[in-house]
Amino acid sequence: MPSKLAAGNWKMHGLTSDLNELRAIAATAKASDVPTLICPPATLIAAAATPGLHIGGQYCHTAEHGAHTGDISAQMLRDAGATHVIVGHSERRTDHNETDVDIQEQSKAAKAAGLISIICIGETLAQRESGGFLDVLATQLRNSVPDDATAADTVIAYEPVWAIGTGRVAEVAQITEVHDALRDDLSARFSDGKEFTLLYGGSVKAANAHEIFSCANVNGALVGGASLKAADFCPIIEALAAQ
Ligand code: PGA
């Protein structure tokens, strides 16, 4: 069985005072026995250390160190206390022109530093409407995930770009179609493909979490806006525990 994961992506939100939210999130994670991860801005990683919670980064460079002003390496994230890193989020792909090959290299750097990668893939609205989105996703998966990835060091997050931060959630049938396809692709490529944790992301909130987690190959969620406040995120953790 893939392990569950409730992951929060704080994006470019959060000051020291917001770390107060983590105590209640950790308490719910412990009580529900759901592995829970918060990826705050890099400035907060060290201070975010909280028993019962995993802490992660939102991006890492492919190199361990070097002349790359403003960048951050996987080794630095690990040193600050991170156990995970999100790579290939659609906002990084768009804002920083990151390609599948870049993302695969970032994932390799993460593994070398001892971090678990959460590799994000997702189609745009135009790609979905053109009908070829399953091919788009299969290509992203093939090219973003390293050949030596294992279920122990890699998590896949399906985040339709049109559902991120829009309040528009993919329907259960749409999520199921994609997650079943991802599971088939992973199982064909990796001996432990059935064990990879598959997350859905895109406007997940308390009100839709139960429905999303009822999909067969959904093992958790990558949550943006609704992970910033314990009052919003804790019910999502509880919904995952109930599956
Ligand atoms: P959202 O973001 O939950 O705010 O839609 C999800 C994500 O980008 O990971």
PDB file of all heavy atoms in Angstrom, residues 90-117:
ATOM      1  N   SER A  90       3.917  23.837 -11.098  1.00  0.00           N
ATOM      2  CA  SER A  90       3.609  24.554 -12.349  1.00  0.00           C
ATOM      3  C   SER A  90       3.983  26.034 -12.263  1.00  0.00           C
ATOM      4  O   SER A  90       4.301  26.653 -13.276  1.00  0.00           O
ATOM      5  CB  SER A  90       2.131  24.399 -12.714  1.00  0.00           C
ATOM      6  OG  SER A  90       1.322  24.942 -11.704  1.00  0.00           O
ATOM      7  N   GLU A  91       3.973  26.585 -11.045  1.00  0.00           N
ATOM      8  CA  GLU A  91       4.375  27.997 -10.923  1.00  0.00           C
ATOM      9  C   GLU A  91       5.868  28.144 -11.206  1.00  0.00           C
ATOM     10  O   GLU A  91       6.312  29.153 -11.751  1.00  0.00           O
ATOM     11  CB  GLU A  91       3.991  28.522  -9.532  1.00  0.00           C
ATOM     12  CG  GLU A  91       2.477  28.715  -9.429  1.00  0.00           C
ATOM     13  CD  GLU A  91       1.895  28.615  -8.037  1.00  0.00           C
ATOM     14  OE1 GLU A  91       2.642  28.642  -7.046  1.00  0.00           O
ATOM     15  OE2 GLU A  91       0.657  28.488  -7.944  1.00  0.00           O
ATOM     16  N   ARG A  92       6.666  27.142 -10.821  1.00  0.00           N
ATOM     17  CA  ARG A  92       8.105  27.159 -11.150  1.00  0.00           C
ATOM     18  C   ARG A  92       8.303  26.917 -12.645  1.00  0.00           C
ATOM     19  O   ARG A  92       9.139  27.552 -13.281  1.00  0.00           O
ATOM     20  CB  ARG A  92       8.866  26.070 -10.376  1.00  0.00           C
ATOM     21  CG  ARG A  92       8.864  26.200  -8.879  1.00  0.00           C
ATOM     22  CD  ARG A  92       9.778  27.249  -8.323  1.00  0.00           C
ATOM     23  NE  ARG A  92      11.047  27.355  -8.969  1.00  0.00           N
ATOM     24  CZ  ARG A  92      11.956  28.307  -8.666  1.00  0.00           C
ATOM     25  NH1 ARG A  92      11.697  29.191  -7.724  1.00  0.00           N
ATOM     26  NH2 ARG A  92      13.094  28.359  -9.285  1.00  0.00           N
ATOM     27  N   ARG A  93       7.519  25.974 -13.187  1.00  0.00           N
ATOM     28  CA  ARG A  93       7.653  25.685 -14.623  1.00  0.00           C
ATOM     29  C   ARG A  93       7.343  26.947 -15.432  1.00  0.00           C
ATOM     30  O   ARG A  93       8.018  27.252 -16.418  1.00  0.00           O
ATOM     31  CB  ARG A  93       6.691  24.556 -15.035  1.00  0.00           C
ATOM     32  CG  ARG A  93       7.074  23.162 -14.503  1.00  0.00           C
ATOM     33  CD  ARG A  93       6.009  22.132 -14.899  1.00  0.00           C
ATOM     34  NE  ARG A  93       6.226  20.803 -14.371  1.00  0.00           N
ATOM     35  CZ  ARG A  93       6.757  19.783 -15.057  1.00  0.00           C
ATOM     36  NH1 ARG A  93       7.157  19.946 -16.298  1.00  0.00           N
ATOM     37  NH2 ARG A  93       6.895  18.596 -14.501  1.00  0.00           N
ATOM     38  N   THR A  94       6.319  27.705 -15.003  1.00  0.00           N
ATOM     39  CA  THR A  94       5.909  28.901 -15.752  1.00  0.00           C
ATOM     40  C   THR A  94       6.804  30.100 -15.442  1.00  0.00           C
ATOM     41  O   THR A  94       7.350  30.728 -16.343  1.00  0.00           O
ATOM     42  CB  THR A  94       4.444  29.256 -15.395  1.00  0.00           C
ATOM     43  OG1 THR A  94       3.642  28.121 -15.652  1.00  0.00           O
ATOM     44  CG2 THR A  94       3.944  30.427 -16.216  1.00  0.00           C
ATOM     45  N   ASP A  95       6.983  30.399 -14.151  1.00  0.00           N
ATOM     46  CA  ASP A  95       7.700  31.631 -13.778  1.00  0.00           C
ATOM     47  C   ASP A  95       9.193  31.536 -14.057  1.00  0.00           C
ATOM     48  O   ASP A  95       9.855  32.553 -14.244  1.00  0.00           O
ATOM     49  CB  ASP A  95       7.529  31.928 -12.274  1.00  0.00           C
ATOM     50  CG  ASP A  95       6.087  32.217 -11.890  1.00  0.00           C
ATOM     51  OD1 ASP A  95       5.231  32.280 -12.794  1.00  0.00           O
ATOM     52  OD2 ASP A  95       5.816  32.367 -10.687  1.00  0.00           O
ATOM     53  N   HIS A  96       9.746  30.317 -14.007  1.00  0.00           N
ATOM     54  CA  HIS A  96      11.203  30.155 -14.145  1.00  0.00           C
ATOM     55  C   HIS A  96      11.575  29.251 -15.314  1.00  0.00           C
ATOM     56  O   HIS A  96      12.715  28.782 -15.386  1.00  0.00           O
ATOM     57  CB  HIS A  96      11.790  29.628 -12.826  1.00  0.00           C
ATOM     58  CG  HIS A  96      11.541  30.551 -11.670  1.00  0.00           C
ATOM     59  ND1 HIS A  96      12.386  31.600 -11.345  1.00  0.00           N
ATOM     60  CD2 HIS A  96      10.507  30.634 -10.800  1.00  0.00           C
ATOM     61  CE1 HIS A  96      11.884  32.262 -10.307  1.00  0.00           C
ATOM     62  NE2 HIS A  96      10.745  31.693  -9.953  1.00  0.00           N
ATOM     63  N   ASN A  97      10.621  29.036 -16.194  1.00  0.00           N
ATOM     64  CA  ASN A  97      10.873  28.238 -17.419  1.00  0.00           C
ATOM     65  C   ASN A  97      11.515  26.889 -17.130  1.00  0.00           C
ATOM     66  O   ASN A  97      12.378  26.441 -17.881  1.00  0.00           O
ATOM     67  CB  ASN A  97      11.760  29.019 -18.395  1.00  0.00           C
ATOM     68  CG  ASN A  97      11.106  30.318 -18.812  1.00  0.00           C
ATOM     69  OD1 ASN A  97       9.916  30.346 -19.109  1.00  0.00           O
ATOM     70  ND2 ASN A  97      11.865  31.401 -18.804  1.00  0.00           N
ATOM     71  N   GLU A  98      11.151  26.259 -16.042  1.00  0.00           N
ATOM     72  CA  GLU A  98      11.739  24.952 -15.731  1.00  0.00           C
ATOM     73  C   GLU A  98      11.137  23.877 -16.644  1.00  0.00           C
ATOM     74  O   GLU A  98       9.928  23.830 -16.849  1.00  0.00           O
ATOM     75  CB  GLU A  98      11.500  24.592 -14.254  1.00  0.00           C
ATOM     76  CG  GLU A  98      12.274  25.500 -13.326  1.00  0.00           C
ATOM     77  CD  GLU A  98      12.095  25.130 -11.857  1.00  0.00           C
ATOM     78  OE1 GLU A  98      11.427  24.122 -11.552  1.00  0.00           O
ATOM     79  OE2 GLU A  98      12.626  25.860 -11.012  1.00  0.00           O
ATOM     80  N   THR A  99      12.008  23.035 -17.166  1.00  0.00           N
ATOM     81  CA  THR A  99      11.580  21.969 -18.074  1.00  0.00           C
ATOM     82  C   THR A  99      11.558  20.630 -17.327  1.00  0.00           C
ATOM     83  O   THR A  99      12.094  20.506 -16.221  1.00  0.00           O
ATOM     84  CB  THR A  99      12.562  21.832 -19.239  1.00  0.00           C
ATOM     85  OG1 THR A  99      13.818  21.396 -18.694  1.00  0.00           O
ATOM     86  CG2 THR A  99      12.753  23.162 -19.968  1.00  0.00           C
ATOM     87  N   ASP A 100      10.995  19.628 -17.979  1.00  0.00           N
ATOM     88  CA  ASP A 100      10.985  18.279 -17.392  1.00  0.00           C
ATOM     89  C   ASP A 100      12.413  17.822 -17.072  1.00  0.00           C
ATOM     90  O   ASP A 100      12.646  17.183 -16.048  1.00  0.00           O
ATOM     91  CB  ASP A 100      10.350  17.277 -18.363  1.00  0.00           C
ATOM     92  CG  ASP A 100       8.847  17.467 -18.507  1.00  0.00           C
ATOM     93  OD1 ASP A 100       8.220  18.064 -17.611  1.00  0.00           O
ATOM     94  OD2 ASP A 100       8.301  17.012 -19.525  1.00  0.00           O
ATOM     95  N   VAL A 101      13.341  18.144 -17.968  1.00  0.00           N
ATOM     96  CA  VAL A 101      14.730  17.707 -17.749  1.00  0.00           C
ATOM     97  C   VAL A 101      15.310  18.404 -16.515  1.00  0.00           C
ATOM     98  O   VAL A 101      15.985  17.776 -15.690  1.00  0.00           O
ATOM     99  CB  VAL A 101      15.581  17.993 -19.014  1.00  0.00           C
ATOM    100  CG1 VAL A 101      17.049  17.688 -18.758  1.00  0.00           C
ATOM    101  CG2 VAL A 101      15.058  17.177 -20.180  1.00  0.00           C
ATOM    102  N   ASP A 102      15.034  19.708 -16.376  1.00  0.00           N
ATOM    103  CA  ASP A 102      15.490  20.430 -15.173  1.00  0.00           C
ATOM    104  C   ASP A 102      14.941  19.752 -13.922  1.00  0.00           C
ATOM    105  O   ASP A 102      15.648  19.575 -12.922  1.00  0.00           O
ATOM    106  CB  ASP A 102      14.966  21.877 -15.157  1.00  0.00           C
ATOM    107  CG  ASP A 102      15.503  22.724 -16.295  1.00  0.00           C
ATOM    108  OD1 ASP A 102      16.632  22.471 -16.732  1.00  0.00           O
ATOM    109  OD2 ASP A 102      14.766  23.637 -16.734  1.00  0.00           O
ATOM    110  N   ILE A 103      13.687  19.399 -13.996  1.00  0.00           N
ATOM    111  CA  ILE A 103      13.007  18.853 -12.815  1.00  0.00           C
ATOM    112  C   ILE A 103      13.573  17.479 -12.458  1.00  0.00           C
ATOM    113  O   ILE A 103      13.780  17.159 -11.288  1.00  0.00           O
ATOM    114  CB  ILE A 103      11.483  18.845 -13.081  1.00  0.00           C
ATOM    115  CG1 ILE A 103      11.006  20.305 -13.057  1.00  0.00           C
ATOM    116  CG2 ILE A 103      10.730  17.998 -12.070  1.00  0.00           C
ATOM    117  CD1 ILE A 103       9.869  20.610 -13.949  1.00  0.00           C
ATOM    118  N   GLN A 104      13.863  16.705 -13.492  1.00  0.00           N
ATOM    119  CA  GLN A 104      14.483  15.403 -13.227  1.00  0.00           C
ATOM    120  C   GLN A 104      15.846  15.597 -12.539  1.00  0.00           C
ATOM    121  O   GLN A 104      16.183  14.878 -11.590  1.00  0.00           O
ATOM    122  CB  GLN A 104      14.659  14.607 -14.527  1.00  0.00           C
ATOM    123  CG  GLN A 104      15.302  13.296 -14.247  1.00  0.00           C
ATOM    124  CD  GLN A 104      15.416  12.349 -15.433  1.00  0.00           C
ATOM    125  OE1 GLN A 104      16.252  11.467 -15.387  1.00  0.00           O
ATOM    126  NE2 GLN A 104      14.594  12.491 -16.453  1.00  0.00           N
ATOM    127  N   GLU A 105      16.593  16.595 -13.003  1.00  0.00           N
ATOM    128  CA  GLU A 105      17.909  16.859 -12.388  1.00  0.00           C
ATOM    129  C   GLU A 105      17.757  17.347 -10.942  1.00  0.00           C
ATOM    130  O   GLU A 105      18.557  17.027 -10.067  1.00  0.00           O
ATOM    131  CB  GLU A 105      18.700  17.875 -13.217  1.00  0.00           C
ATOM    132  CG  GLU A 105      19.127  17.367 -14.592  1.00  0.00           C
ATOM    133  CD  GLU A 105      19.965  16.090 -14.529  1.00  0.00           C
ATOM    134  OE1 GLU A 105      20.862  16.026 -13.677  1.00  0.00           O
ATOM    135  OE2 GLU A 105      19.690  15.154 -15.313  1.00  0.00           O
ATOM    136  N   GLN A 106      16.737  18.161 -10.705  1.00  0.00           N
ATOM    137  CA  GLN A 106      16.482  18.626  -9.332  1.00  0.00           C
ATOM    138  C   GLN A 106      16.121  17.447  -8.429  1.00  0.00           C
ATOM    139  O   GLN A 106      16.569  17.365  -7.281  1.00  0.00           O
ATOM    140  CB  GLN A 106      15.331  19.653  -9.325  1.00  0.00           C
ATOM    141  CG  GLN A 106      15.682  20.965 -10.000  1.00  0.00           C
ATOM    142  CD  GLN A 106      14.447  21.822 -10.244  1.00  0.00           C
ATOM    143  OE1 GLN A 106      13.370  21.567  -9.707  1.00  0.00           O
ATOM    144  NE2 GLN A 106      14.605  22.847 -11.063  1.00  0.00           N
ATOM    145  N   SER A 107      15.328  16.540  -8.964  1.00  0.00           N
ATOM    146  CA  SER A 107      14.939  15.373  -8.178  1.00  0.00           C
ATOM    147  C   SER A 107      16.167  14.516  -7.844  1.00  0.00           C
ATOM    148  O   SER A 107      16.299  14.003  -6.720  1.00  0.00           O
ATOM    149  CB  SER A 107      13.898  14.560  -8.960  1.00  0.00           C
ATOM    150  OG  SER A 107      13.564  13.408  -8.247  1.00  0.00           O
ATOM    151  N   LYS A 108      17.077  14.387  -8.814  1.00  0.00           N
ATOM    152  CA  LYS A 108      18.312  13.626  -8.556  1.00  0.00           C
ATOM    153  C   LYS A 108      19.145  14.314  -7.476  1.00  0.00           C
ATOM    154  O   LYS A 108      19.726  13.658  -6.603  1.00  0.00           O
ATOM    155  CB  LYS A 108      19.139  13.508  -9.840  1.00  0.00           C
ATOM    156  CG  LYS A 108      18.557  12.559 -10.862  1.00  0.00           C
ATOM    157  CD  LYS A 108      19.465  12.526 -12.091  1.00  0.00           C
ATOM    158  CE  LYS A 108      18.862  11.682 -13.190  1.00  0.00           C
ATOM    159  NZ  LYS A 108      19.546  11.888 -14.479  1.00  0.00           N
ATOM    160  N   ALA A 109      19.207  15.654  -7.549  1.00  0.00           N
ATOM    161  CA  ALA A 109      19.967  16.406  -6.534  1.00  0.00           C
ATOM    162  C   ALA A 109      19.331  16.218  -5.163  1.00  0.00           C
ATOM    163  O   ALA A 109      20.023  16.081  -4.142  1.00  0.00           O
ATOM    164  CB  ALA A 109      20.016  17.885  -6.916  1.00  0.00           C
ATOM    165  N   ALA A 110      18.010  16.194  -5.135  1.00  0.00           N
ATOM    166  CA  ALA A 110      17.294  16.005  -3.864  1.00  0.00           C
ATOM    167  C   ALA A 110      17.641  14.647  -3.270  1.00  0.00           C
ATOM    168  O   ALA A 110      17.953  14.518  -2.079  1.00  0.00           O
ATOM    169  CB  ALA A 110      15.792  16.121  -4.098  1.00  0.00           C
ATOM    170  N   LYS A 111      17.612  13.628  -4.124  1.00  0.00           N
ATOM    171  CA  LYS A 111      17.906  12.275  -3.640  1.00  0.00           C
ATOM    172  C   LYS A 111      19.340  12.200  -3.113  1.00  0.00           C
ATOM    173  O   LYS A 111      19.596  11.596  -2.067  1.00  0.00           O
ATOM    174  CB  LYS A 111      17.717  11.285  -4.784  1.00  0.00           C
ATOM    175  CG  LYS A 111      17.933   9.837  -4.412  1.00  0.00           C
ATOM    176  CD  LYS A 111      17.453   8.972  -5.568  1.00  0.00           C
ATOM    177  CE  LYS A 111      17.651   7.504  -5.317  1.00  0.00           C
ATOM    178  NZ  LYS A 111      16.676   6.711  -6.047  1.00  0.00           N
ATOM    179  N   ALA A 112      20.258  12.822  -3.834  1.00  0.00           N
ATOM    180  CA  ALA A 112      21.658  12.798  -3.405  1.00  0.00           C
ATOM    181  C   ALA A 112      21.821  13.452  -2.034  1.00  0.00           C
ATOM    182  O   ALA A 112      22.713  13.086  -1.258  1.00  0.00           O
ATOM    183  CB  ALA A 112      22.535  13.507  -4.444  1.00  0.00           C
ATOM    184  N   ALA A 113      20.953  14.409  -1.734  1.00  0.00           N
ATOM    185  CA  ALA A 113      21.020  15.104  -0.440  1.00  0.00           C
ATOM    186  C   ALA A 113      20.184  14.401   0.630  1.00  0.00           C
ATOM    187  O   ALA A 113      20.123  14.863   1.771  1.00  0.00           O
ATOM    188  CB  ALA A 113      20.541  16.549  -0.609  1.00  0.00           C
ATOM    189  N   GLY A 114      19.518  13.317   0.241  1.00  0.00           N
ATOM    190  CA  GLY A 114      18.717  12.580   1.226  1.00  0.00           C
ATOM    191  C   GLY A 114      17.308  13.114   1.400  1.00  0.00           C
ATOM    192  O   GLY A 114      16.654  12.842   2.404  1.00  0.00           O
ATOM    193  N   LEU A 115      16.829  13.862   0.397  1.00  0.00           N
ATOM    194  CA  LEU A 115      15.467  14.406   0.470  1.00  0.00           C
ATOM    195  C   LEU A 115      14.515  13.574  -0.395  1.00  0.00           C
ATOM    196  O   LEU A 115      14.917  13.030  -1.428  1.00  0.00           O
ATOM    197  CB  LEU A 115      15.423  15.842  -0.060  1.00  0.00           C
ATOM    198  CG  LEU A 115      16.215  16.903   0.681  1.00  0.00           C
ATOM    199  CD1 LEU A 115      16.076  18.244  -0.055  1.00  0.00           C
ATOM    200  CD2 LEU A 115      15.720  17.052   2.117  1.00  0.00           C
ATOM    201  N   ILE A 116      13.265  13.516   0.012  1.00  0.00           N
ATOM    202  CA  ILE A 116      12.199  12.932  -0.808  1.00  0.00           C
ATOM    203  C   ILE A 116      11.683  14.023  -1.746  1.00  0.00           C
ATOM    204  O   ILE A 116      11.380  15.132  -1.297  1.00  0.00           O
ATOM    205  CB  ILE A 116      11.059  12.415   0.095  1.00  0.00           C
ATOM    206  CG1 ILE A 116      11.571  11.264   0.974  1.00  0.00           C
ATOM    207  CG2 ILE A 116       9.841  12.004  -0.737  1.00  0.00           C
ATOM    208  CD1 ILE A 116      10.600  10.824   2.059  1.00  0.00           C
ATOM    209  N   SER A 117      11.593  13.711  -3.041  1.00  0.00           N
ATOM    210  CA  SER A 117      11.062  14.697  -4.006  1.00  0.00           C
ATOM    211  C   SER A 117       9.572  14.509  -4.174  1.00  0.00           C
ATOM    212  O   SER A 117       9.107  13.377  -4.318  1.00  0.00           O
ATOM    213  CB  SER A 117      11.611  14.483  -5.421  1.00  0.00           C
ATOM    214  OG  SER A 117      12.963  14.420  -5.466  1.00  0.00           O
TER     215      SER A 117
END
